[in-house]
Structure formats: C-alpha cells, structure tokens
Amino acid sequence: MADSVDRVFVHALNTVKKIPKTGASRPPSSDRLRLYGLYKQAMEGDVDGVMERPERRPGVDADELQRERDKWDAWNAQRGLSRTEAKRRYIEALIETMHRYATTPDGKALVAELEFVWDQIKNNSPSSSNSSPKNATFTESRHFQQPLSGTEGPMKVLSPMSEDDAAEQEYREGQGDDDDGEYVKKGDRWSRKVERALVRLSAEVAALREQITAGREWRSKKEKSFTAWASWFLWIVTKHLAIDVVILGIVLLWMRKRKDRRLEDQVRAILRLGREYARKILPSR
C-alpha cells in the first residue's frame, strides 16, 4: 500500500504544478500552510533535528521572519506523523482544497483525475476507511454467475477503466498473478519491482533536493549577517598576524645566527614601549 500511496503522492505533486495554468483562484494562507506542513512532513519527517524555529537576526525584516515562522509552525504541527500517513493526508487535503478553489473547467478536470486515482488506491487498501461491510458487499456483487447455455448471461457492471487498464487486467488474469491488488503497469514482476524502486527513488531525490535547497538558503542568509562578516574579518586579521609572527621569528633566528642584533634590538624596544603604554592605561594594582 505504501508504494501505491507514493505513486498517487507523486501524481498529486504533478497536479500542483499544473494548477496555475488552469486559472484557478489561489487558496488562503491557512490552506497553503497546511499543505506545506504535510508536504515537508511527508518528504523529510519531523522538523526536530532538521531546522530550528527561525529567530530574529540582522538583515531579515519582520514580515519575512513571520513567514518563515509560519512555515515552521505548519511543519511542526504535523510532528509525529509517519511519511506514508502524511502523504495520505496531503492528497486528501489537496483534493478538498481543489474542490473549493479550482472551479475552472481545467481545474475541475485535474481534481477529478486525482480523486479518481486516489479512490482506486483507497478501495484497494484493507486498512482504509472505505473498507466497510457496505463496500465489501458491493465488491462481492461484482462476481457474477456463469451464463446459461444459449444465453449471454446477466449484464456486466463496467468500471471506469481505460483501454490500458483493461489490457493490464486481462494480462494479470491470464498470468494468474496473485499480487496484493495494488495498481501496477503492464509487465512482469521484475518490471513492477523496478517501477516501485523508481518511485521510492524519486521521492527520496525530491526530499534530498528540498533539504539541500533549505540548507543553501539558511547558509546564504547566515553568510550575509553582520556576525558572519565580523567573524570573517577577525579570522583574516588573526591569520595574517600569526603568519607575520612566524616570519619575524624566522628572520630573528637567522640574523642572530649571523650575530646581527639590530632587528632584535628594535623588536625589544617596541615591546618595551608596549609594556610602558600598558602600565599607563591599565589601572595600578
């Protein structure tokens, strides 16, 4: 069932990319934040350990900080959900939101397609809420008796199935494949395993891409802060001072070996002046 949910989840993400082209109205901020939180929970899990709640920092205005906190709170509100359950809730929330705001013909077609695919997965799930005795009765009613000789038998109930789906069902019935009832493409078991692996891989790649993007944004904002600039400047000054001290020590040793004390005397004089200046500035004990 988890593989089927992954497939519908990827389908839902592709549907979201197509929504702006339909001219549908934009949902309010609360609905968008709910979908964002479910999406992040489905892709990366709990927010704990991934990122901390944004705090005030130089270079970030109040509006941007509030937007970042709202996103963090929406993600944290889904804490504790498994990735599969978060994907299920994301799909259902997206369908509900599109029914309310995707009122254009193209938008209605998109939500109808997504809802149809999701209904097929829910009906195949033994743990789904749709697996009630009523649905079980309906499933059993679709098994018909063999037609009598000389007759064509009772009328068949046709399901909303495309030509590819019908061919797939005929292929699976011909092979006698006792699979778990999940939606799969045409092909043997090896091709189905490859398909499931590709779906899992695509989900992991999407999660990794989101994590890399969030990390880059966080590092970019951190590098532009005043604290980062001050730390960088202090590091440069310290590094140059350390290099200068090492070079000066090497030169002093070389000149002492040649019994030339001129540079050493000047360094001693500079250090003496520094100590006297420090005595004047620092309070006497």
Side-chain angles (χ1 to χ4, degrees), residues 4-281:
S4 301
V5 174
D6 288 340
R7 294 190 188 94
V8 183
F9 181 70
V10 173
H11 184 87
L13 296 182
N14 293 330
T15 301
V16 172
K17 296 178 182 179
K18 299 176 184 177
I19 291 177
K21 299 179 181 179
T22 64
S25 58
R26 192 179 187 187
S29 177
S30 58
D31 292 339
R32 297 200 308 271
L33 287 173
R34 179 190 177 195
L35 290 172
Y36 173 83
L38 289 170
Y39 170 78
K40 297 292 286 185
Q41 184 71 20
M43 300 302 289
E44 302 183 42
D46 291 344
V47 68
D48 297 338
V50 178
M51 62 180 298
E52 298 179 355
R53 194 171 190 269
E55 300 293 340
R56 292 186 178 274
R57 57 188 183 275
V60 179
D61 56 13
D63 294 337
E64 183 178 357
L65 177 62
Q66 186 60 42
R67 286 193 296 268
E68 293 180 359
R69 287 180 174 178
D70 291 341
K71 289 183 177 180
W72 191 93
D73 292 338
W75 185 359
N76 188 55
Q78 310 302 330
R79 182 177 55 186
L81 288 179
S82 65
R83 295 195 178 190
T84 301
E85 181 62 25
K87 291 174 183 178
R88 291 174 57 87
R89 296 192 183 187
Y90 177 88
I91 296 167
E92 294 174 352
L94 179 61
I95 293 174
E96 178 186 354
T97 303
M98 290 183 67
H99 272 305
R100 285 185 292 167
Y101 300 100
T103 55
T104 61
D106 293 338
K108 291 180 179 179
L110 283 178
V111 68
E113 178 183 359
L114 177 61
E115 190 172 17
F116 172 75
V117 175
W118 180 233
D119 287 341
Q120 301 304 309
I121 299 302
K122 288 195 299 184
N123 292 334
N124 288 334
S125 173
S127 61
S128 175
S129 59
N130 292 337
S131 299
S132 59
K134 180 179 179 181
N135 290 333
T137 304
F138 174 75
T139 304
E140 293 177 357
S141 65
R142 295 183 60 181
H143 296 282
F144 300 98
Q145 299 177 353
Q146 295 291 336
L148 301 175
S149 59
T151 63
E152 296 182 355
M155 182 180 297
K156 294 184 179 180
V157 178
L158 299 179
S159 61
M161 182 181 298
S162 64
E163 294 181 0
D164 290 340
D165 295 334
E168 174 195 340
Q169 184 176 2
E170 292 177 2
Y171 171 83
R172 294 179 59 187
E173 291 176 354
Q175 295 294 327
D177 187 6
D178 297 333
D179 203 355
D180 55 358
E182 295 181 0
Y183 172 77
V184 295
K185 292 185 178 181
K186 293 182 289 184
D188 53 11
R189 293 194 177 188
W190 181 84
S191 64
R192 291 196 295 271
K193 289 181 180 179
V194 172
E195 181 192 358
R196 294 190 185 103
L198 289 176
V199 171
R200 287 194 295 267
L201 180 61
S202 62
E204 293 296 332
V205 169
L208 182 60
R209 187 183 297 113
E210 285 290 330
Q211 191 170 0
I212 291 175
T213 302
R216 287 177 178 174
E217 293 178 355
W218 180 78
R219 285 195 301 269
S220 177
K221 293 177 180 179
K222 184 177 180 181
E223 290 173 356
K224 294 179 181 179
S225 63
F226 175 78
T227 306
W229 282 103
S231 301
W232 174 81
F233 180 77
L234 181 61
W235 161 248
I236 293 297
V237 171
T238 305
K239 182 175 67 173
H240 281 282
L241 286 176
I243 294 173
D244 293 340
V245 169
V246 171
I247 294 175
L248 180 61
I250 294 173
V251 172
L252 287 174
L253 291 175
W254 179 74
M255 293 186 69
R256 175 177 289 187
K257 187 176 180 181
R258 299 188 60 179
K259 298 181 179 181
D260 189 351
R261 299 297 182 93
R262 290 177 297 174
L263 182 59
E264 185 176 352
D265 294 339
Q266 292 180 1
V267 172
R268 291 178 182 275
I270 292 174
L271 292 176
R272 191 182 303 112
L273 290 175
R275 286 195 298 268
E276 293 177 358
Y277 181 76
R279 291 195 190 98
K280 295 178 180 179
I281 297 298

